[in-house]
């Protein structure tokens, strides 16, 4: 780290840091190349508050019905010492779990401090790895190195020790109907679980054990069909782990980004907030709206400078990677002589433009020829056309 | 996506208004489609909250479930919706046509079929789940439901299945239908918002596309088109209203207030739906639409006629049926794409851009050329077409005319800004072409290498010959008592 | 507030939008203010359109037996620490009637206050279960002050042993009479989650079979669990004052310090 770089506490403007959670992790894996999100998350900045202060509040409110449903289901599965969960493991998955211990790691004697919780998580898992003691570890507090900085993770999961290995158990309240759930929700759950598997593996390795003692097979517990009855599905998250590892490795090192920034930079509320945020470059894509609180601000910025990426990554790809709408249109119109490396893209755009024009002109001509010009025909057009059969 | 549709988006940005990506309408729009705007309770798979339904813009019915967690109320709702939907199905069969069928038998086809329209894909998904959660219900015994409920379930399941079928117009999602014809200056993700999409296509007076879309993103002004509701509506309006209803013990006035609150969330979407229907209707219908609607009517006729003998659709398809279905869908997809290109030069432009088709002016024509190398002379006219398209076809590739797919040919040579085509079919039976069949010098023509029906007919084993690799012949699916009793909570 | 129903409706719509906008923008104070105005407008609308109606209010049926005694009754039956939710379902199943959940949850605080004001003034107190490692109050578990400390302390295995113990106690209780449908449902919930306990048709439970199955699994857990509970109880007797022994010790801990020794003598 260079001496001139702003430190993370100053970036936060003195506010308490926020932990990584499911959303920041989703954003992380969805858009690893965004420096703005990277820096703000590394500093634990309250992005929601920043977005609101900028006049672009993130529409991530949750319905109380959804929250209640999620809580009720989770409580039900975990009630009475995880009685239902245990039955799922024993009967649903056929695992031989004679003795069951349950350790709640969400608070340490009423204290929710994350250092304390992390220490306790480490201690209990270390003991479990050595002696095999313990079965269900609820709400472990993990740490993951993100962009060269350790980040705390607060997974809403259970680490389940079975036959010397740990499995991540994630309880989700979306329904699995006839063995199928909404693909986006399953994908998101698998992605999140992979993050937790990785963080658990880091911890296990730190404790001097083989990281493979954390299984790539996680258990997803969801309501079955339209009932409240839980069902467990094993999910192999190896593909997600591979993607995640690659993206974490690709993550621009936060320290390198910080080194480029002015030393007095801060995201504290105030008149210069927007300017400060713009200092750190964003990489907006429409997918950001599903996971990042800053998305509406970044979208506005991307639209204002006519970025093709604001229309979607595939649009940008279809335009041969051209960044700005103005350039692409000028090439399509034939108003701009392309540089050598853009020759192919330019030719395709020019042709596309001519083909569009030709088709639309012909259609217009045909319509003009077919439509009787007399205004008397207007009422007829209002009658729905009769069906050919 | 392609450079062509990407360019359409850029043009939309420049114009501040959606741009056409089709010159004709590729879907059937019924005279009186049944528009359904469903809402569900957040956090639940398929707990209905309300549906606004009707086949005319000025006659919506609003059905609600005042306490969406109450099983009895849910089934009462399902029964009301069933009456509405089933009535629509039964009154949209039209006249029965008699057609010659196999083995000299007469085949029937209804002259019409019911069309359901929902705002978006979420609406389709909701109907599918509602179908799944109602089709196995028993109408007798301890958990008896209204006789119409399982019938509704089976029909909704059938509509949702048909939606998967490319080119079918029986169940349509407005956002998908609109996007088939217009490109906006926003991302496809944002196009999922019906109000924003309509804002780009048909902005209100005084607004352009971007400003109309921006307003549409305010959920207070433009409630989401469902089935999910806006969380602030849930928390600030719906939850207190449901709680008040519960406290009142089902009081009619509390129910009325709840209804009025829900109405504010569906009415704007209801109006958008009919505006969308109007916009689509105003487009000239593509030539292939009637033919595809005929397939829809065939499917409807078959399902309607065999409804009485059939069981509810199984929870999962047995292997042979699944494989056949997949194959059918792939074939339908290909035929649908080919038809759309033939019907619409703007769709054909995609093929020209990628070099699978080419268009231009005929510069040289030998309409009566004969190929006399074989035993008997064959009529093989030659055409040279001047084109600027980047043709990526090899000599020998079979092609057909976009304007008249029956007119077939093959490429002889490419080069010098032109393509030489030898015509091989669709010329008539004699050694001189029928009048007007062969294009003449100066005509604009377009030939494509993509033809309908190049996907062969696949052979699948009969059900009883299902190979052991696929689990052997499946048991007949018979709904069980468990199916009927399944929780719906 | 006054006005025609139309004017009121317009105002209600406007206030609703206002509340939702304020919440979306994260302005809670403004949302609270508007929400209050909204409730006023709604009740004015009710008065204007529907005439004055009894809105019901929270109809808290005055029970004959105070909540703390009902909870005591249930815990005595179960004979093991229990979460408020379980207490509620056992009460409904075996004693009839609903226990208001929020009242049960707030009980522990009230009891602690009462004990600290006048220690041992009552024959029993409803108090916390203590965690074996830190002797802190375990989240969401209720116990009775008169129980031996070993029973009131919970270690990692105790969740399961207590569940099994409760199953045995409930099945013994059920055998003595004809269980209500609610009770049968509750027993089924236990049976469904204990290996070998659900032998008959779905939904029906044989109390003897349930008890036997629970005992069999309890045998696997009991000794280890008891050892840990006893060790922790000894520490509690030594190190905690009376109130702490009932309601748990708040963390005085510094990581690795005294408060954590418990974990080492497991």
């Amino acid at each position: 780290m260079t001496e001139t770089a702003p430190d993370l506490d100053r970036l936060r403007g003195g506010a308490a840091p926020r932990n990584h959670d499911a959303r920041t992790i989703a954003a992380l894996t969805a858009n690893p190349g965004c420096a703005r999100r990277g820096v703000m998350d590394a500093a634990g900045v309250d992005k929601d508050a920043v977005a609101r202060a900028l006049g672009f509040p993130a529409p991530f409110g949750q319905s109380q019905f959804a929250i209640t449903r999620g809580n009720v289901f989770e409580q039900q599965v975990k009630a009475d010492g995880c009685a239902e969960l245990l039955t799922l493991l024993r009967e649903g998955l056929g695992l031989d779990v004679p003795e069951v211990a349950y350790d709640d790691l969400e608070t340490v004697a009423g204290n929710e401090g994350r250092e304390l919780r992390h220490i306790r998580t480490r201690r209990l898992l270390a003991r479990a790895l050595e002696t095999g003691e313990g079965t269900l570890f609820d709400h472990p507090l993990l740490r993951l190195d993100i962009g060269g900085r350790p980040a705390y993770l607060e997974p809403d999961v259970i680490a389940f020790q079975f036959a010397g290995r740990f499995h991540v158990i994630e309880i989700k309240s979306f329904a699995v109907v006839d063995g199928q759930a909404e693909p986006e929700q399953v994908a998101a759950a698998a992605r999140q679980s992979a993050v937790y598997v990785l963080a658990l593996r880091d911890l296990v390795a730190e404790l001097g054990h083989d990281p493979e003692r954390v299984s790539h097979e996680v258990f997803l517990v969801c309501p079955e069909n339209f009932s409240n009855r839980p069902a467990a599905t094993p999910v192999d998250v190896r593909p997600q782990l591979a993607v995640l590892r690659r993206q974490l490795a690709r993550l621009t090192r936060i320290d390198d980004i910080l080194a480029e920034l002015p030393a007095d930079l801060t995201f504290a509320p105030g008149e210069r907030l927007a300017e400060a945020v713009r200092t750190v470059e964003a990489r907006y894509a429409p997918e950001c709206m599903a996971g990042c609180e800053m998305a509406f601000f970044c979208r506005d910025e991307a639209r204002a400078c006519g970025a093709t990426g604001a229309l979607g990554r595939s649009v940008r790809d279809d335009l041969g990677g051209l960044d700005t709408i103005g350039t692409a249109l000028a090439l399509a119109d034939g108003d701009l002589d392309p540089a050598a490396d853009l020759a192919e893209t330019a030719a395709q755009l020019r042709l596309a433009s001519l083909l569009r024009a030709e088709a639309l002109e012909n259609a217009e001509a045909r319509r003009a020829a077919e439509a009787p010009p007399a205004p008397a025909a207007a009422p007829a057009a209002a009658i729905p056309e009769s069906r050919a059969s | 996506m392609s450079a062509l549709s990407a360019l359409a988006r850029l043009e939309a940005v420049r114009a501040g208004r959606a741009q056409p990506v089709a010159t004709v309408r590729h879907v059937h729009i019924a005279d009186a489609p049944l528009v359904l705007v469903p809402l569900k309770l957040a956090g639940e798979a398929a707990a209905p909250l309300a549906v606004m339904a009707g086949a005319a813009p000025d006659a919506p019915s609003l059905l609600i479930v005042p306490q969406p967690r109450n099983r009895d109320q849910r089934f009462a709702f399902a029964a009301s919706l069933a009456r509405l939907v089933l009535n629509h199905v039964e009154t949209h069969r039209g006249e029965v046509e008699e057609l010659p069928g196999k083995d000299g038998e007469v085949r029937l086809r209804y002259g019409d079929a019911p069309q359901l329209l929902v705002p978006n894909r979420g609406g389709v998904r909701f109907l599918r789940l509602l179908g799944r959660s109602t089709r196995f219900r028993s109408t007798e015994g301890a958990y008896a439901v209204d006789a119409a409920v399982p019938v509704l379930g089976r029909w909704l399941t059938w509509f949702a299945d048909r939606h998967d079928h490319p080119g079918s117009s029986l169940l349509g999602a407005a956002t998908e239908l609109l996007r088939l014809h217009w490109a906006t200056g926003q991302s496809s993700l944002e196009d999922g918002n019906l109000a924003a999409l309509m804002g780009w296509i048909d902005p209100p007076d005084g607004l352009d596309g971007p400003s109309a879309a921006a307003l549409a993103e305010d959920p207070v002004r433009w409630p989401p088109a469902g089935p999910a509701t806006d969380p602030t509506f849930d928390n600030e309006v719906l939850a207190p209203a449901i709680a008040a209803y519960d406290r009142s013990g089902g009081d009619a006035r509390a129910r009325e207030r709840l209804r009025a609150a829900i109405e504010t969330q569906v009415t704007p979407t209801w109006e958008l739906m009919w505006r969308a229907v109007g916009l689509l209707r105003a487009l000239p219908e593509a030539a292939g639409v009637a033919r595809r609607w005929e397939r829809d009517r065939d499917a409807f006729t078959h399902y309607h006629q065999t409804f009485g003998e059939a069981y509810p659709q199984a929870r999962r398809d047995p292997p042979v049926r699944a494989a056949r279905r997949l194959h059918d869908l792939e074939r339908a997809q290909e035929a649908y794409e080919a038809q759309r290109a033939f019907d619409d030069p703007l769709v054909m432009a995609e093929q020209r851009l990628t070099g699978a088709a080419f268009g231009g002016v005929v510069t040289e024509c030998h309409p009566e050329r004969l190929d006399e190398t074989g035993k008997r002379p064959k009529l093989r006219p030659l055409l040279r077409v001047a084109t600027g398209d980047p043709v990526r076809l090899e000599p020998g590739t079979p092609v057909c005319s976009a304007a008249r797919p029956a007119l077939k040919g093959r490429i002889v040579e490419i080069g010098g800004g032109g393509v030489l085509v030898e015509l091989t079919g669709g010329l008539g039976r004699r050694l001189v072409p029928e009048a007007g069949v062969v294009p003449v010098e100066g005509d604009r023509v377009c030939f494509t290498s993509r033809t309908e029906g190049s996907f062969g007919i696949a052979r699948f084993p009969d059900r009883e010959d299902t190979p052991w690799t696929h689990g052997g012949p499946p048991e007949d699916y018979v709904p069980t008592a468990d199916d009927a009793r399944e929780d719906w909570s | 507030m006054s006005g025609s129903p139309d004017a009121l409706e317009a105002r209600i719509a406007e206030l609703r939008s206002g509340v939702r906008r304020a919440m979306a923008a994260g302005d809670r104070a403004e949302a609270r203010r508007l929400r209050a105005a909204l409730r006023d407008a709604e009740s004015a609308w009710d008065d204007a359109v529907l005439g004055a109606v009894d809105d019901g209010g929270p109809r808290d049926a005055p029970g004959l037996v105070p909540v703390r005694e009902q909870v005591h009754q249930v815990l005595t039956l179960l004979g093991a620490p229990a979460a408020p939710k379980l207490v509620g379902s056992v009460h409904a199943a075996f004693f009839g009637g609903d226990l208001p959940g929020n009242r049960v949850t707030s009980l522990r605080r009230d009891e602690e206050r009462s004990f600290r004001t006048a220690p041992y003034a009552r024959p029993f107190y409803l108090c916390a279960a203590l965690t074996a490692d830190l002797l802190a109050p375990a989240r969401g578990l209720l116990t009775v002050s008169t129980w031996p400390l070993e029973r009131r302390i919970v270690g990692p295995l105790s969740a399961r042993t207590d569940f099994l113990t409760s199953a045995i106690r409930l099945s013994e209780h059920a055998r003595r009479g004809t269980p209500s449908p609610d009770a049968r449902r509750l027993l089924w919930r236990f049976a469904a989650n204990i290996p070998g306990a659900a032998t008959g048709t779905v939904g029906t439970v044989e109390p003897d079979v349930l008890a036997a199955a629970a005992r069999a699994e309890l045998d696997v857990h009991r000794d280890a669990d008891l050892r840990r509970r006893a060790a922790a109880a000894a520490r509690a007797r030594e190190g905690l004052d009376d109130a702490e022994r009932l309601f748990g010790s708040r963390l005085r801990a510094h990581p690795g310090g005294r408060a954590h020794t418990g974990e080492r003598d497991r």
Side-chain angles (χ1 to χ4, degrees):
Chain A
M1 216 186 309
T2 52
E3 282 170 26
T4 50
D7 75 24
L8 297 178
D9 291 331
R10 173 155 355 93
L11 284 178
R12 237 173 15 245
R18 298 180 65 85
N19 289 351
H20 268 275
D21 58 18
R23 174 161 297 137
T24 58
I25 288 159
L28 166 79
T29 51
N31 196 354
C34 180
R36 181 177 295 167
R37 187 205 48 70
V39 166
M40 293 180 103
D41 283 348
V45 171
D46 184 346
K47 297 205 297 290
D48 190 45
V50 170
R52 256 188 278 124
L54 292 170
F56 291 92
F60 289 137
Q62 240 196 320
S63 164
Q64 55 171 276
F65 298 114
I67 296 172
T68 309
R69 163 81 171 149
N71 291 344
V72 166
F73 182 69
E74 187 181 340
Q75 280 165 18
Q76 174 202 326
V77 172
K78 288 188 183 172
D80 305 318
C82 296
E84 285 193 1
L85 177 62
L86 190 58
T87 304
L88 285 181
L89 297 173
R90 283 173 168 171
E91 286 171 21
L93 300 174
L95 305 180
D96 181 26
V97 192
E99 188 188 85
V100 192
Y102 172 83
D103 286 282
D104 180 4
L105 303 174
E106 190 168 12
T107 61
V108 181
N111 189 315
E112 292 173 5
R114 52 188 197 172
E115 268 83 26
L116 208 55
R117 282 182 56 197
H118 182 62
I119 287 167
R120 187 166 139 88
T121 299
R122 284 178 70 104
R123 180 169 298 155
L124 291 200
L125 293 190
R127 198 185 56 208
L129 288 163
E130 275 151 31
T131 67
E133 245 182 278
T135 319
L136 300 169
F137 299 93
D138 197 0
H139 285 116
L141 192 79
L142 304 173
R143 254 190 346 201
L144 189 65
D145 188 82
I146 294 176
R149 297 258 172 181
Y152 281 98
L153 296 180
E154 241 184 321
D156 196 1
V157 297
I158 293 175
F160 164 52
Q161 185 188 217
F162 176 70
R165 301 189 82 186
F166 280 100
H167 295 262
V168 165
I169 298 178
E170 196 156 11
I171 302 174
K172 293 279 176 191
S173 65
F174 59 80
V176 175
V177 178
D178 297 338
Q180 299 205 316
E182 283 191 33
E184 309 92 79
Q185 288 181 308
V186 178
R191 243 185 346 252
Q192 279 174 33
S193 296
V195 176
Y196 304 143
V197 168
L198 202 61
L200 257 180
R201 284 187 172 173
D202 280 1
L203 178 58
V204 168
E206 261 176 62
L207 293 169
H209 296 272
D210 180 5
E212 292 295 313
R213 287 184 68 178
V214 181
S215 173
H216 56 256
E217 190 177 61
V218 305
F219 301 128
L220 199 56
V221 175
C222 298
E224 193 176 24
N225 297 337
F226 304 96
S227 71
N228 290 325
R229 205 174 40 245
T233 319
V235 179
D236 182 344
V237 297
R238 268 177 295 190
Q240 289 81 0
L241 276 171
V243 170
L244 183 66
R245 270 202 213 96
R246 202 170 55 237
Q247 286 176 336
L248 284 177
R250 266 176 53 204
L251 260 190
T252 319
R253 288 186 60 82
I254 297 298
D255 290 343
D256 294 346
I257 303 173
L258 288 174
E260 302 289 314
L261 299 176
D264 61 346
L265 188 70
T266 173
F267 299 129
E271 278 178 17
R272 301 184 53 201
L273 180 58
E275 194 190 317
V277 171
R278 285 203 187 93
T279 310
V280 195
E281 201 183 334
R283 207 159 100 181
Y284 171 78
E287 292 76 23
C288 293
M289 293 207 284
C292 182
E293 292 88 344
M294 296 300 296
F296 275 68
F297 177 81
C298 300
R299 182 180 74 169
D300 187 62
E301 188 184 53
R303 282 180 174 174
C305 52
T308 53
L311 298 174
R313 284 195 180 124
S314 67
V315 172
R316 191 172 172 279
D317 292 346
D318 288 338
L319 296 170
L322 281 175
D323 283 324
T324 59
I325 294 175
T327 309
L329 281 172
L331 290 174
D333 294 345
D335 291 346
L336 186 69
D337 279 333
D341 60 331
L342 285 179
E344 291 163 344
T345 303
Q348 207 189 25
L349 276 172
R350 184 74 196 118
L351 178 63
S353 171
L354 293 173
L355 288 174
R356 268 187 68 75
E358 180 190 318
L360 288 169
E361 273 164 29
N362 288 346
E364 195 52 50
R366 206 172 52 230
R367 208 170 304 179
E370 281 169 14
I383 298 169
E385 87 282 7
S386 59
R387 191 171 303 105
S389 54
Chain B
M1 294 296 278
S2 69
L4 208 69
S5 57
L7 180 63
R9 284 188 184 274
L10 303 188
E11 288 175 353
V13 172
R14 171 158 64 188
R17 213 183 157 116
Q19 298 296 306
V21 289
T23 62
V24 284
R25 170 160 47 77
H26 295 283
V27 292
H28 174 82
I29 297 290
D31 293 349
L34 181 64
V35 169
L36 297 166
V37 182
L39 293 183
K40 73 180 185 96
L41 191 71
E44 310 274 337
L49 170 66
V51 167
M52 187 170 264
D58 55 354
S61 308
L62 178 61
L63 309 175
I64 68 161
V65 189
Q67 174 44 277
R69 295 212 171 87
N70 180 309
R71 181 191 147 93
D72 294 340
Q73 288 185 18
R74 248 184 234 188
F75 282 113
F77 165 88
S80 315
L81 182 64
R83 275 184 280 279
L84 214 145
V85 171
L86 300 181
N87 178 54
H88 190 82
V89 167
E90 293 304 327
T91 52
H92 286 79
R93 303 209 309 254
E95 302 281 314
V96 178
E97 298 167 10
E98 293 193 356
L99 307 162
K102 268 187 253 168
D103 309 327
E105 284 176 30
V106 171
R107 188 163 70 88
L108 300 182
R109 180 196 288 150
Y110 294 142
D112 199 359
Q115 180 180 42
L116 269 47
L117 294 177
V118 294
N120 47 34
R121 286 180 192 207
V124 174
R125 196 151 50 197
F126 178 81
L127 292 192
R128 193 190 301 276
L129 281 176
L130 190 62
R132 166 62 184 78
S133 65
T134 49
R135 70 177 187 259
F136 297 118
R137 301 290 153 183
S138 170
T139 54
E140 47 200 41
Y143 298 91
V145 299
D146 188 293
V149 170
V151 179
L152 171 75
R154 292 172 58 189
W155 274 108
L156 291 182
T157 305
W158 180 79
F159 274 109
D161 278 351
R162 286 301 296 181
H163 179 80
D164 295 340
H165 198 87
S168 168
S169 295
L170 287 160
L171 169 58
T175 50
E176 287 184 338
L177 301 184
L178 292 169
R179 278 161 49 81
L180 197 58
H181 300 92
W182 284 278
T184 68
Q186 60 185 1
S187 72
S188 48
L189 198 112
E190 288 146 333
D191 282 347
N193 176 341
L194 180 60
L197 181 59
M198 284 292 288
W200 273 96
I201 297 172
D202 185 24
D205 285 344
L207 292 180
D208 63 359
S211 49
L215 287 181
E217 283 183 354
D218 175 358
V220 177
R221 186 189 296 254
W222 279 105
T229 46
D230 178 56
T232 67
F233 169 75
D234 282 7
N235 297 343
E236 302 301 334
V237 182
L238 185 60
I242 291 179
Y245 171 82
D246 279 347
R247 266 201 316 275
S248 77
D251 179 73
R253 286 166 299 187
R255 188 190 163 102
E256 185 48 38
R257 267 171 53 176
L258 187 52
R259 212 189 93 94
I262 292 171
E263 195 166 20
T264 64
Q265 297 301 293
V266 283
T267 307
T269 305
W270 173 261
E271 283 160 7
L272 281 178
M273 286 297 288
W274 288 102
R275 271 177 55 208
V277 166
L279 286 174
L280 288 165
R281 255 190 205 138
L283 296 172
E285 186 175 273
V289 168
R291 200 149 39 115
R292 291 196 295 272
W293 183 240
E294 219 163 64
R295 297 288 81 72
D296 276 338
R297 282 155 51 211
D298 280 335
F300 170 60
T301 309
H302 176 76
Y303 193 66
H304 188 268
Q305 298 231 319
T306 56
F307 194 91
E309 302 109 66
Y311 283 124
Q313 299 90 334
R315 287 161 177 249
R316 293 174 216 212
D317 272 344
V320 173
R321 189 192 292 162
R324 177 172 291 141
R325 181 176 149 80
L326 194 63
H327 178 79
D328 287 350
L329 293 184
E330 283 170 354
R331 266 179 74 174
Q333 180 69 39
E334 210 199 22
Y336 174 53
E337 277 170 12
Q339 277 178 17
R340 265 174 49 221
F342 289 132
D343 290 350
D344 189 341
L346 202 43
V347 179
M348 184 58 85
E350 300 269 5
Q351 295 184 15
R352 293 176 59 183
L353 189 63
T354 56
F358 58 93
V361 177
V362 178
T363 52
E364 205 184 317
C365 178
H366 307 282
E368 298 184 3
R369 172 181 168 263
L370 297 180
D371 175 356
E372 291 173 304
T373 54
K375 261 192 242 161
R376 286 193 311 192
K378 289 179 247 172
L379 178 62
R380 289 290 182 266
L382 283 175
L383 290 181
R384 191 175 295 277
V385 182
T387 180
D389 296 356
V391 189
R392 286 191 188 85
L393 300 171
E394 297 296 316
T397 310
V399 292
C400 68
S401 155
R404 201 169 73 83
L407 185 65
K408 301 199 188 308
R410 64 178 190 86
I411 292 180
V412 179
E413 62 176 53
I414 302 172
V419 183
L420 186 64
V421 180
E422 181 188 63
L423 298 180
T424 56
L427 300 156
R429 293 174 168 277
R430 290 176 300 135
L431 282 180
V432 271
E434 282 174 16
V437 161
V438 177
V440 298
E441 274 173 42
D443 278 1
R444 288 203 73 90
V445 293
C446 175
F447 283 93
T448 176
S449 61
R450 301 263 172 85
T451 52
E452 236 180 290
S454 57
F455 221 74
I457 291 174
R459 296 187 154 273
F460 290 101
D462 283 336
R463 176 189 179 85
E464 35 302 344
D465 297 329
T466 306
W468 63 270
T469 47
H470 292 67
E475 301 272 316
D476 262 333
Y477 182 74
V478 181
T480 64
D482 274 356
D483 284 338
R485 265 204 305 270
E486 182 173 85
D487 284 352
W488 191 18
S489 49
Chain C
M1 193 177 307
S2 66
S4 68
D6 282 353
L8 282 167
E9 262 164 40
R11 177 155 172 75
I12 287 171
E14 187 187 309
L15 284 166
R16 273 183 185 160
S17 305
V19 175
R20 291 171 63 192
R21 287 229 161 76
M23 282 309 287
D27 188 344
R28 287 170 193 284
E30 175 72 358
R32 219 172 6 253
R33 191 185 67 73
L34 291 171
R35 221 179 264 134
L38 175 59
R39 299 296 164 247
D40 287 349
E42 282 175 343
S43 79
W45 185 86
D46 282 356
D47 291 348
V49 178
L50 312 172
V53 206
D54 169 25
D55 76 341
R59 264 173 229 176
D60 217 7
L64 295 175
V65 186
V67 171
R68 70 185 299 269
E69 276 164 46
Q70 293 175 334
V71 173
H72 178 246
Q73 204 173 16
V74 169
L75 286 172
T76 306
L77 170 58
L78 289 173
K85 185 133 200 218
L86 179 61
V87 171
S89 2
V90 172
H91 187 266
F94 290 95
F95 303 102
D98 285 339
L99 272 178
N102 51 346
R103 298 279 300 281
V104 178
T105 314
S106 64
L107 254 183
R108 213 166 72 177
R109 225 175 22 246
D110 301 343
E111 295 278 299
E112 180 168 0
R113 203 175 301 128
S114 155
F115 181 86
R116 288 190 186 273
T117 327
Y120 300 111
R122 298 176 174 177
F124 67 85
Y125 291 86
L126 298 174
C127 49
L130 309 190
T131 60
D133 50 359
L134 301 177
L135 303 176
R139 284 195 305 154
L141 287 179
L142 291 167
T143 62
V144 183
S145 60
T146 52
W147 289 355
L149 255 179
E150 286 77 0
R151 200 192 293 175
R152 291 193 30 246
I153 286 178
V154 291
L157 295 173
S158 310
R160 193 65 188 164
T161 55
D162 291 346
F163 177 72
L164 297 167
T165 305
S166 305
I168 297 167
R169 301 277 295 242
L170 288 179
S171 48
E172 281 165 355
H173 184 76
R175 217 173 34 184
R176 289 194 282 273
T178 315
S180 67
D182 271 357
R184 282 202 297 272
R185 244 192 310 278
L186 180 65
L187 288 173
W188 169 250
R189 245 178 54 202
F190 277 88
N193 291 311
I194 297 172
T199 49
T201 32
V202 171
T204 62
V205 179
E206 204 54 64
D208 288 339
V209 177
L210 170 57
R215 276 198 193 92
E217 200 191 331
L218 190 55
D219 283 344
V220 181
H221 291 79
R222 190 171 39 207
D223 292 349
D225 184 43
L226 263 180
R227 261 200 308 282
R228 198 161 303 167
R229 288 173 128 167
R235 277 190 294 121
R237 287 195 190 91
E238 204 176 288
L240 301 186
D241 64 28
D242 286 8
E244 282 175 336
R245 238 176 279 152
L246 293 183
F247 299 100
S249 113
R250 300 291 160 190
L251 191 69
R252 298 162 289 191
H254 10 279
R258 171 85 180 96
H260 284 267
T261 50
E263 293 188 355
R264 270 178 245 135
D265 43 56
R266 283 194 184 184

